[in-house]
Amino acid sequence: MNSFADVLLPLPIKGSFTYSIPEALQYQAAVGKRVVVPFGKSRLYTGIVRAVHDNAPEKYSAKDIALVLDDHAIVNYFQMEFWEWMAAYYMCNVGEVMQAALPSAFLISSETRIVLNDDLKIDPSSFTDREYLVFEALSLKNVLSYKDVADILGIKTIHPLLKDMFDKGIIGFYEELRESYKAKTETFIALAATYCDAKQLSAAFASLTKAAKQEDVLMQLVSLAGKNLESFTISKKKFLKIEGVSVSGLQALIGKNIIVEEQREIGRLNAYDEATHDAKGLNDDQRRAHSEIQEQFQKHEVVLLHGVTGSGKTEIYIHLIEEQIKLGKQVLYLLPEIALTTQIIRRLQHVLGDEVGIYHSRYSMNERVEVWNKLQKKGGYQVVLGARSALFLPFDNLGLIIVDEEHESSFKQQEPAPRYHARDMAVVLGNKHKAKVLLGSATPSVDSYHNAIHEKYGLVKLEKRHGGIMMPEIFCADVQEEKRKKKMKSIFSSLLLSNMETALENREQIILFQNRRGFAPMLECNLCGHTPKCNKCDVSLTYHKALNLLKCHYCGYAEKKAISCAACGSVEVALVGFGTQKIEEEIALVFPKAKVGRMDWDTTRTKNAYQQIIGDFEDKSIDILVGTQMVSKGLDFDNVALVGVLNADQMLNFPDFRAHERAYQMMSQVSGRAGRKNKRGKVVIQTYSPDHNIIRYVIDSNYEALYHSEILLRRNFKYPPFYRLVGITVKHQSLDLVNAAAAYFAGILKESLDEAEVLGPEFPSIARIRGEYIKNILVKIPRNATTNKTKNTILFKIELFQITEPFKKCRLIIDVDPV
């Protein structure tokens, strides 16, 4: 009887496809293994076996599996269940989840190769010039890729030419598999087993009396091995660095089989080779919170730890992790930003050593594969620290998930699908594994706090800073008043400057926060008001002084800064506003002796850039650190006396129903960096609205007041947590088509959705990005409504939309629970 396998493919297509298992692969194909399968006319893809059974597909003839890639399953039952749940909730395909979940090195695909036809019957003299160039190249090289042909001919569109050559019988095609992952290896050397015997070794030395270099090399190896001649090995690279060891001498001994060499897989992951230490003891408040968390876990699967900045939440996490390790369980520790992992990695490894694995997007493709593989091995990682993608790792014995800074919007995946929220999916993953989930934050999201006070989650509070340190003293600088009295010096208020001077005199450090990178937000003509804009997006270009470029932060378009206005020709053009680059430059003018560092997206693109900047600040090599929201997230510095928030109004006036919540969170979090140890810190908030209620809540550290004001607005205006949101975006390069398509789609939704409310279509604040116009539709679903029924209706209408001319040319993007 034939066997069949349901195979998941990393493509935006529904469900799985059934393939026949050839007899030769019957005992190899198994659930969770990767297989290479044909899909479409000729392409080969890597898929994951979802199920093995005896049922042939009814609607099509099953193709054969071409190859089984793995000796053991690389994906387990929990993962596939999780993928399917996520696909259903976020209204995407399982293949899209699979594409996001697996390291790209696992997803082998085929590449079309071009070869000469073995049975070529045409005289080359009849070829066109371009055909002859391809023929000549193939005669020399045998095989070409599409890119090779394009480079040879100097053109981009090569498919019509290749089709003609194929039809004439000049060339043929075949598919070649490309495997991305390559194990890292190193050459090790050792004394050959024969010469580990004392007599044989003496004979070897005797034979080398006239080969001084070889004798020296052998003597060095024997000396290093000592009494461990049979087991001693050393890296060849390391051995050659030893004084007296010559390359020629070593190679001669290898040639004589006195020394042997061997290639070994060494891995790319840095081992922690320092001594580990016991976790720090908890103080009374931390012990109480730790005990309450354990009690709450008896009643709830999810617990929210609401602890003020500097209260010592991380130490509680470490104690909880140690308890899980003793039970033989795995722990996943999620952080919103890679920047945060730098400090916390050290703290965890200090206690747990090599039991901690790290997984995030700054790791290379090969490093991510090695973390994945090590987690599956016996004695592999018990704790994984990572950003949102770490949710997809192959855990099989998960006991605890910690989501630190759970309020952070960075936990939400924006592009591409699945557009998931890691905090919410951590709760689902915990449920699948029957693991507990701990959410931690000094400024919880309104949604999580609502769940906690309504006892869907447990709630534990830490209201005092560790060591009895007081919360920072927060002052408000009225920018409008300071400008009226001409007290502003560049972009700094007199209140901020005087506190900066005091901090620098006391050799204390300062953090300045501005949530906008670049030098200045825009260039403006003083005569006509013209502002240079991106030619593909409806945004003004941001000036980056170091490059002397105006750049778009959405699509990457850049142009040189013009001397005169492009509209009227006036030379009276001025920079308006300020970003982190300008702050850095202005500080150098005001405090020329201060050492200034900058931490934003532009300075942290490389793998170890975060670690370098944070390390320099910890070592006090930087006096003033200027940064975007990266500096606000959970970093712990000993010597920060002052934090300056340079433009609070930018956060308060953002057009989003969560703007006030996020402004409070960001200002409170960055304020919490001040006075972390030994003394009370100070915070200066510069604003045009010193009486704004959100700023008053920040000054008073009054999260409860923020929550109650926000929850009232959410209830009145039908927003989460009282309603679920599904955002639908219509995109196309034609403005007229987008307008018509969005109106049509909103219309057919409103006809069918009785329980939900459909808003729009409306243009967002930025109506064109990367050359495509955008219109948004928002569906609000009451909590007591049948969410799945509404989602199924939306999906049905999308299918209808995608076969309707001319609207099927538009792209529809679904975002469940947009942030």
Side-chain angles (χ1 to χ4, degrees):
M1 182 181 287
N2 287 344
S3 292
F4 298 89
D6 293 336
V7 178
L8 294 175
L9 295 173
L11 299 169
I13 50 179
K14 282 188 176 181
S16 57
F17 287 82
T18 302
Y19 287 84
S20 176
I21 304 173
E23 192 174 340
L25 302 178
Q26 289 286 332
Y27 297 104
Q28 295 179 43
V31 173
K33 287 187 178 183
R34 289 179 302 156
V35 290
V36 175
V37 293
F39 187 79
K41 287 185 179 179
S42 59
R43 291 302 300 271
L44 297 170
Y45 286 95
T46 305
I48 298 287
V49 177
R50 180 67 181 94
V52 176
H53 54 80
D54 300 325
N55 305 315
E58 295 178 2
K59 295 183 179 180
Y60 57 89
S61 177
K63 296 178 181 178
D64 282 352
I65 289 173
L67 185 66
V68 177
L69 292 171
D70 302 309
D71 296 327
H72 64 275
I74 66 158
V75 174
N76 61 40
Y77 169 81
F78 293 112
Q79 288 172 284
M80 285 190 275
E81 286 269 297
F82 183 52
W83 293 357
E84 286 168 359
W85 196 100
M86 184 182 281
Y89 184 82
Y90 287 105
M91 301 171 71
C92 63
N93 297 302
V94 182
E96 292 173 300
V97 181
M98 175 184 167
Q99 180 88 35
L102 292 177
S104 57
F106 280 149
L107 300 174
I108 300 170
S109 62
S110 65
E111 184 172 2
T112 304
R113 298 296 187 181
I114 302 152
V115 293
L116 279 176
N117 189 343
D118 290 336
D119 192 25
L120 182 62
K121 296 176 181 177
I122 302 175
D123 183 0
S125 63
S126 66
F127 295 166
T128 65
D129 290 345
R130 284 179 173 173
E131 287 174 348
Y132 192 81
L133 284 172
V134 175
F135 168 77
E136 191 175 43
L138 283 169
S139 299
L140 295 170
K141 202 174 176 184
N142 297 326
V143 179
L144 296 176
S145 67
Y146 279 149
K147 184 179 183 303
D148 293 335
V149 174
D151 290 344
I152 289 164
L153 300 178
I155 59 174
K156 290 183 179 178
T157 308
I158 60 170
H159 292 84
L161 171 70
L162 294 177
K163 184 179 183 302
D164 285 346
M165 292 181 74
F166 178 77
D167 291 342
K168 290 176 183 177
I170 302 170
I171 60 171
F173 300 104
Y174 76 92
E175 293 296 310
E176 181 177 89
L177 287 176
R178 296 179 292 113
E179 185 163 10
S180 304
Y181 175 68
K182 286 185 173 60
K184 186 177 181 181
T185 60
E186 190 171 336
T187 304
F188 284 77
I189 59 167
L191 192 64
T194 306
Y195 296 98
C196 292
D197 176 78
K199 287 183 180 179
Q200 293 292 336
L201 184 59
S202 297
F205 273 113
S207 70
L208 299 175
T209 52
K210 293 183 180 180
K213 287 185 178 180
Q214 295 175 41
E215 188 178 30
D216 290 343
V217 170
L218 184 58
M219 183 60 74
Q220 287 285 6
L221 184 62
V222 171
S223 298
L224 288 169
K227 295 179 181 179
N228 302 313
L229 279 177
E230 292 182 12
S231 59
F232 180 76
T233 63
I234 186 172
S235 156
K236 184 177 180 180
K237 187 177 179 181
K238 186 177 178 181
F239 186 60
L240 285 170
K241 290 181 180 178
I242 296 171
E243 191 175 344
V245 174
S246 68
V247 176
S248 60
L250 176 59
Q251 288 304 125
L253 289 172
I254 292 170
K256 292 176 180 178
N257 293 321
I258 296 173
I259 290 176
V260 291
E261 58 182 352
E262 177 191 10
Q263 289 287 115
R264 286 189 200 165
E265 186 177 336
I266 58 169
R268 296 168 172 83
L269 307 173
N270 295 326
Y272 185 80
D273 52 9
E274 297 176 27
T276 56
H277 303 80
D278 292 337
K280 293 178 183 176
L282 302 178
N283 64 23
D284 290 343
D285 281 333
Q286 288 171 323
R287 275 196 297 274
R288 174 194 54 76
H290 177 267
S291 177
E292 286 181 14
I293 289 168
Q294 300 285 33
E295 289 171 16
Q296 289 293 332
F297 275 148
Q298 300 301 314
K299 307 172 196 173
H300 302 279
E301 300 304 310
V302 184
V303 173
L304 174 65
L305 175 59
H306 180 198
V308 299
T309 53
S311 57
K313 294 187 290 295
T314 305
E315 289 305 323
I316 295 174
Y317 299 156
I318 291 171
H319 280 258
L320 291 167
I321 289 168
E322 282 193 307
E323 289 161 12
Q324 291 297 319
I325 288 173
K326 287 174 184 174
L327 293 171
K329 296 283 190 177
Q330 297 168 318
V331 179
L332 171 60
Y333 190 145
L334 288 177
L335 290 159
E337 287 276 1
I338 298 163
L340 287 179
T341 63
T342 299
Q343 281 194 327
I344 294 176
I345 286 164
R346 289 202 298 268
R347 291 176 71 174
L348 286 179
Q349 287 182 332
H350 186 74
V351 177
L352 304 170
D354 263 347
E355 290 183 48
V356 182
I358 302 126
Y359 193 84
H360 53 63
S361 61
R362 291 292 166 94
Y363 262 30
S364 71
M365 175 180 64
N366 290 325
E367 286 172 321
R368 276 179 271 175
V369 169
E370 290 183 11
V371 173
W372 186 289
N373 289 340
K374 188 167 179 178
L375 191 62
Q376 289 187 309
K377 289 177 183 174
K378 189 175 181 181
Y381 295 127
Q382 279 195 269
V383 182
V384 175
L385 179 73
R388 59 177 180 257
S389 58
L391 278 169
F392 296 115
L393 285 166
F395 297 101
D396 60 5
N397 191 24
L398 203 54
L400 175 67
I401 303 174
I402 296 168
V403 185
D404 200 11
E405 309 295 344
E406 65 83 28
H407 64 278
E408 273 292 340
S409 58
S410 309
F411 276 127
K412 172 74 173 179
Q413 162 79 4
Q414 301 294 347
E415 287 290 341
R419 293 171 181 84
Y420 65 97
H421 198 297
R423 175 198 61 217
D424 300 338
M425 289 304 97
V427 174
V428 174
L429 186 66
N431 179 264
K432 300 266 176 214
H433 284 267
K434 295 184 169 49
K436 302 298 182 183
V437 180
L438 181 64
L439 311 178
S441 178
T443 54
S445 65
V446 167
D447 302 65
S448 293
Y449 199 72
H450 181 78
N451 285 334
I453 64 174
H454 286 85
E455 298 191 358
K456 184 178 178 182
Y457 297 167
L459 177 62
V460 176
K461 293 190 176 186
L462 259 177
E463 297 177 314
K464 293 180 183 177
R465 280 186 149 192
H466 187 268
I469 304 297
M470 295 178 69
M471 293 296 289
E473 195 175 3
I474 303 177
F475 302 93
C476 207
D478 187 337
V479 175
Q480 190 166 345
E481 184 67 11
E482 291 249 334
K483 282 186 174 180
R484 188 181 69 81
K485 294 181 178 179
K486 297 183 179 178
K487 289 184 176 181
M488 291 288 290
K489 189 170 184 179
S490 179
I491 52 180
F492 307 111
S493 63
S494 59
L495 179 62
L496 180 58
L497 283 174
S498 62
N499 279 283
M500 287 176 72
E501 286 170 5
T502 303
L504 291 172
E505 284 170 8
N506 294 334
R507 296 187 177 180
E508 294 168 328
Q509 290 170 295
I510 301 163
I511 291 176
L512 296 180
F513 170 71
Q514 165 66 352
N515 204 25
R516 189 187 289 274
R517 62 190 176 96
F519 186 81
M522 62 184 187
L523 199 67
E524 186 177 77
C525 175
N526 292 334
L527 192 62
C528 72
H530 172 74
T531 298
K533 290 191 173 180
C534 177
N535 59 9
K536 294 179 182 177
C537 311
D538 284 346
V539 291
S540 58
L541 297 172
T542 301
Y543 179 55
H544 288 249
K545 189 170 183 180
L547 304 169
N548 196 32
L549 287 176
L550 294 165
K551 294 185 72 175
C552 173
H553 288 173
Y554 285 84
C555 71
Y557 169 79
E559 63 181 47
K560 284 191 175 180
K561 176 177 173 282
I563 299 170
S564 59
C565 174
C568 70
S570 169
V571 293
E572 293 185 36
V573 289
L575 295 166
V576 179
F578 58 91
T580 49
Q581 283 184 14
K582 185 171 183 179
I583 297 166
E584 185 181 26
E585 184 176 285
E586 293 294 312
I587 290 169
L589 297 174
V590 180
F591 300 106
K593 293 183 180 179
K595 290 168 281 185
V596 185
R598 177 162 56 92
M599 189 161 140
D600 56 23
W601 193 82
D602 295 310
T603 62
T604 55
R605 295 188 188 192
T606 59
K607 180 180 174 182
N608 297 313
Y610 288 108
Q611 191 168 341
Q612 184 63 49
I613 295 168
I614 291 168
D616 288 346
F617 197 59
E618 285 179 324
D619 295 339
K620 302 180 179 60
S621 301
I622 295 172
D623 298 316
I624 303 170
L625 180 62
V626 180
T628 56
Q629 58 182 338
M630 292 178 185
V631 300
S632 71
K633 299 176 182 179
L635 297 169
D636 186 4
F637 301 114
D638 293 354
N639 195 42
V640 176
L642 176 67
V643 167
V645 178
L646 296 182
N647 187 357
D649 306 283
Q650 176 192 335
M651 295 178 278
L652 293 169
N653 299 323
F654 196 76
D656 185 273
F657 77 92
R658 287 191 177 92
H660 286 179
E661 176 189 0
R662 288 196 182 133
Y664 175 88
Q665 288 166 341
M666 215 169 285
M667 284 189 274
S668 293
Q669 289 284 343
V670 76
S671 297
R673 305 313 115 206
R676 303 278 289 185
K677 292 196 173 88
N678 304 324
K679 66 176 285 188
R680 189 181 190 188
K682 288 184 179 180
V683 179
V684 176
I685 299 173
Q686 295 188 167
T687 176
Y688 286 89
S689 313
D691 296 322
H692 197 290
N693 62 330
I694 298 299
I695 290 177
R696 304 319 305 174
Y697 298 154
V698 173
I699 290 171
D700 297 336
S701 297
N702 193 346
Y703 176 82
E704 293 286 339
L706 168 85
Y707 169 76
H708 288 297
S709 71
E710 284 294 299
I711 209 72
L712 182 63
L713 291 170
R714 305 277 181 94
R715 182 183 285 112
N716 291 340
F717 293 101
K718 300 180 180 179
Y719 281 109
F722 304 102
Y723 278 69
R724 293 188 186 277
L725 303 181
V726 177
I728 302 159
T729 301
V730 183
K731 286 187 174 185
H732 195 268
Q733 293 176 341
S734 165
L735 176 59
D736 291 339
L737 188 57
V738 164
N739 281 328
Y744 169 75
F745 189 68
I748 61 175
L749 278 182
K750 288 172 184 177
E751 288 172 2
S752 305
L753 296 181
D754 300 326
E755 295 178 307
E757 184 176 333
V758 180
L759 302 181
E762 294 290 342
F763 286 111
S765 54
I766 299 169
R768 187 172 64 117
I769 294 176
R770 297 184 182 93
E772 290 187 308
Y773 292 94
I774 302 165
K775 249 187 168 176
N776 291 335
I777 299 163
L778 187 66
V779 180
K780 294 183 175 181
I781 309 170
R783 283 280 173 176
N784 58 3
T786 313
T787 306
N788 286 341
K789 180 184 173 185
T790 304
K791 286 181 177 179
N792 288 335
T793 302
I794 294 170
L795 289 171
F796 175 75
K797 295 300 180 183
I798 286 173
E799 288 180 4
L800 178 64
F801 178 87
Q802 288 172 336
I803 59 170
T804 304
E805 289 284 1
F807 305 139
K808 65 181 183 181
K809 295 176 183 177
C810 295
R811 279 202 304 145
L812 275 187
I813 295 169
I814 305 174
D815 189 1
V816 178
D817 301 336
V819 296

